[in-house]
Amino acid sequence: MTSKSFHMSRSNLSTSSDAASESLNKPPLPPTVTFGRRTSSGRYISYSRDDLDSELGSGEFMNYTVHIPPTPDNQPMDPSISQKVEEQYVSNSLFTGGFNSVTRAHLMDKVTESEASHPQMAGAKGSSCAIPGCDAKVMSDERGLDILPCECDFKICRDCYIDAVKTGGGICPGCKELYKNTDLDEVAVDNNGRPLPLPPPNGMSKMERRLSLMKSTKSALMRSQTGVGDFDHNRWLFETRGTYGYGNAIWPKDGGFGNGKDDDTAEPTELMSKPWRPLTRKLKIPAAILSPYRLLILIRMVVLALFLTWRINHPNNDAIWLWGMSVVCEIWFAFSWLLDQLPKLCPINRATDLNVLKDKFETPSPNNPNGKSDLPGIDIFVSTADPEKEPPLVTANTILSILAADYPVEKLACYVSDDGGALLTFEAMAEAASFANTWVPFCRKHTIEPRNPESYFNLKRDPYKNKVKSDFVKDRRRVKREYDEFKVRINGLPDSIRRRSDAYHAREEIKAMKVQRQNRGDEPVEGVKIPKATWMADGTHWPGTWLTASAEHSKGDHAGIIQVMLKPPSDEPLLGIADDAKLIDLTDVDIRLPLLVYVSREKRPGYDHNKKAGAMNALVRASAIMSNGPFILNLDCDHYIYNSQAMKEGMCFMMDRGGDRLCYVQFPQRFEGIDPSDRYANHNTVFFDVNMRALDGIMGPVYVGTGCLFRRIALYGFDPPRSKEHHPGCCSCCFGRPKKHSSVANTPEENRALRMGDSDDEEMNLSLLPKRFGNSTFLIDSIPVAEFQGRPLADHPAVKNGRPPGALTIPRELLDASTVAEAISVISCWYEDKTEWGQRVGWIYGSVTEDVVTGYRMHNRGWKSVYCVTKRDAFRGTAPINLTDRLHQVLRWATGSVEIFFSRNNALLASPRMKLLQRIAYLNVGIYPFTSIFLIVYCFLPALSLFSGQFIVQTLNVTFLVYLLVITLTLCMLAILEIKWSGIELEEWWRNEQFWLIGGTSAHLAAVLQGLLKVLAGIEISFTLTSKSGGDDVDDEFADLYIVKWTSLMIPPITIMMVNLIAIAVGFSRTIYSTIPQWSKLIGGVFFSFWVLAHLYPFAKGLMGRRGRTPTIVFVWSGLIAITISLLWVAISPPSTTDQIGGSFQFP
């Protein structure tokens, strides 16, 4: 393994997109730095003439790009070889760096013990260099075939070739003849610390290429919206690569020059004449269901108001304390129900049309003659932090489902964030990339669903159904065998890494002892102690977290790491060929794999790394530099793609008319491995199928942390397009309509789409962007590109802020070393200092539930979101079925809600852009944990009523019973109608009600206490497990369901159950043996006690374990509570007829 350090430099990063390319008729030369400046991060950035002009404030220039046809005296060199070789170098290198450290590229011979087979994968096999003394790999193409720069086919590696060109006069070491193509010198990286220049793709830099794509289409965009305008030579030449001369440029149709109108030129008009078809449509809830539903809500609101009024006006004077507590609780319950119910007034369903999406973006058209995909790119984020708690096999299966997704391969990129910096996760990802060489083409060949191998091979249905290819059975059997071997390798990685590290450590100790003997001579040698490092497969130190923590190699102290596991695929399909050596026949199957990148951000002591939110923001910055997909899909490591076309369905919303105002598309969470009865409401269907559908009819659903497709510029904190447009308000008839500021009206459309701030007069000040986004020029330059590429098609006059068809069919830029080095700098621990990352930009910091806060900030700026429920579940994951794990999960959510309530993200402080019902929904998110205080009091009221012989009302009269009956019936009828329009089942609704009380009396109360202590006293409290016990039956799929792990969160529900059971016994005893039995008060108290116990039944069942096994601590607590209550009873109501303990009272 070799290690090379270099300084990051980038030429022409911010050049004008329309600048003339005057060097196309000459061989490309290394870029020279004429002018430059040093950034605050220590990097040097060179300026072109256009850069200096823009810095000096000069006006805009319009230049034509003229492509001169190749002639015998003008033969531009093809730079494709140099780009591919540079990309191969990048994919075979492990990049590390960070604060006050040099960014290094470690060239790796292999990344895992097993052999890499796919040519895109890091460490892929290949021929060795023929230069004596060099064992490096020969350069290769997409299929893994050797790239031989000389006609004599002399095998030479990248570094030796660069040496031959730089120092050997460009002479081939094999045939001693001059190389005919020496463009590889553009990608040289030397050891003298000279800047690493960019290879000029097709005569222009990477940033020039991106910005020219965005800016040169402006006139076409305006024509597509207005139908008028002159022909844009710049755009035509760029997109068609046309040249001036006969048959080029704007040659008229039918050989005539016509009348000079657009219809007579090569500008296509067929698209505008086609009938416009929407990509999505709303499916309204039938009025027969929705109208009664809204009417019942109104009726229940009126009845609750009348009931509370009656309760206040009719106190129970015999037990005023009981009456007071019950009335306060009932008022809060009515308020809480109102907050939960009002946002459900406008539920809707939505549907997508994938056929229309294919016709618009993947079908040959005048703007896209070859039918290449015009869909925007998607960067998929997968986050993991600890391989011990999140098994690498689960993460690897998620990665495989992403790589096999049904989305254009060249438009897809997957980034894995390993916040623990573990070598185990790194090598597991490498193994997954290697197995993807077999799994992904197999899925494409036989249209496999789901594309998670673990889930697919464990399907209980017939796997051969609807499979028409004759070799499916054979292929499936072979892939299954290969997957079993893959699982063995993954599960054996911990032992493999440990044995390898022990062996290398022993070797290092022996070396150190030999050196010590040589230095000391005959003196006695003491034992040598050296740090026990963790070693990679190529025999070098792992730069991340070591198994034995050491300085700069622990979870909170390690360098930033980026490894391109799978380099970007070629732009054209790479079809498999008949090869007997292959596991399965892949003839005519696309064998390309999407870009796969391993990222572990830098961590250092003294920095607040902000947990998952900080890791996600690091991925946002790194992906903006490496692939810059205008859309981002984030998934937890245990949530895999169950529907391979889910991303296309989400893209239907983003690319539809008005889709540019959508900040994200949220998919419902679906779970596997849940017990059939769903004892603890793990499916959470009431929230995902009722509440979220209802919010979709207002401004959109809340962001729930995973399975969400984001618009990148919305994450950047920009306002939605057309947010500054004024609409007539309620007072417009009196005061007139406000006029736009002239500066706003004159702002170009592409700049108007990127706006920050609340002032209508504020223009986009580009000089402020470094203060918000950091000092990475490349990151800032990528922002307008991502905004442009994320626009919907301007294929209809009603589509505002669109882009012309065919604009995204150009190839993706190839990766180079300086690009990855820039990505290393933006994931360093210091990059966010004095910026707005985590404050306004990216995932928001300061809350355990960063997902809800991030979505709230977007809605608060005026963005909308959409809920996408697909026929086949989009994603599936796992959920904790153990009672204790479930309670701790709910505790974390509730703690985040309390933090939101006490922060500036409280919906009471929302901006006017947020609709009232949406504000109520977010207000309920912050308030619902406080219901636990009133809920616990109300759960004890039946017991207090039975102990005291009183009730919350004076007598059970007809009025009270009628109110109670109407309130109960309306609640049941609302539940039935919700079941009708949402599609959930009655049992699921009841399970949700049960766990609402279980969580409300345990985790929610703890969250309120924790939040109050944090806000008032600054005390951090964490509720952790105190004891664990394992299940006996390891073969049981639901073994975790029966494991009882004691936690302090169980104390309140256990207390409520025991007190109510004892109270029922006491109440019966008193009533039976009393002179004048008060049956009405007994019935009222017993009824409410049974209501409490019925809701706590799943909790009690969970305490019993598998076969009635109850932990000793439960009996201890039960005995203590029973004794305490008995003593309290004697103290409150002592015997009156005798001085002896017990008196004349005899327990039945």
Side-chain angles (χ1 to χ4, degrees), residues 742-787:
S742 59
S743 62
V744 178
N746 296 330
T747 304
E749 180 66 26
E750 61 266 21
N751 291 339
R752 203 179 303 165
L754 291 174
R755 300 184 59 88
M756 278 187 181
D758 301 325
S759 173
D760 291 339
D761 298 335
E762 180 184 355
E763 289 190 28
M764 193 61 205
N765 192 345
L766 299 179
S767 63
L768 296 178
L769 291 183
K771 297 180 181 179
R772 288 171 172 162
F773 295 95
N775 53 18
S776 173
T777 307
F778 198 86
L779 173 61
I780 294 173
D781 287 341
S782 70
I783 294 174
V785 179
E787 188 278 328

Side-chain angles (χ1 to χ4, degrees), residues 842-865:
W843 270 258
I844 306 301
Y845 301 154
S847 175
V848 178
T849 52
E850 74 287 334
D851 45 5
V852 177
V853 177
T854 302
Y856 166 79
R857 290 290 187 90
M858 295 181 188
H859 284 137
N860 202 31
R861 288 192 290 268
W863 289 95
K864 295 183 178 180
S865 59

Side-chain angles (χ1 to χ4, degrees), residues 564-584:
V564 180
M565 292 288 185
L566 292 171
K567 65 182 181 181
S570 58
D571 185 54
E572 299 293 336
L574 189 64
L575 302 181
I577 56 178
D579 187 355
D580 294 337
K582 294 289 184 181
L583 187 67
I584 58 177

Side-chain angles (χ1 to χ4, degrees), residues 20 61 626:
F61 294 90
M626 298 182 68

Side-chain angles (χ1 to χ4, degrees), residues 672-740:
E672 294 179 334
I674 307 297
D675 56 296
S677 63
D678 193 13
R679 180 185 294 177
Y680 305 124
N682 289 99
H683 285 299
N684 214 357
T685 51
V686 172
F687 174 76
F688 287 113
D689 290 326
V690 178
N691 297 70
M692 298 286 271
R693 287 177 193 261
L695 288 175
D696 198 14
I698 310 173
M699 289 184 69
V702 298
Y703 167 43
V704 294
T706 184
C708 190
L709 181 66
F710 282 100
R711 185 179 298 275
R712 185 180 284 271
I713 63 163
L715 275 175
Y716 284 159
F718 290 103
D719 295 336
R722 304 179 296 283
S723 61
K724 301 300 180 183
E725 294 181 0
H726 295 271
H727 300 283
C730 58
C731 301
S732 61
C733 57
C734 301
F735 298 98
R737 180 173 177 175
K739 295 182 179 180
K740 290 185 182 180

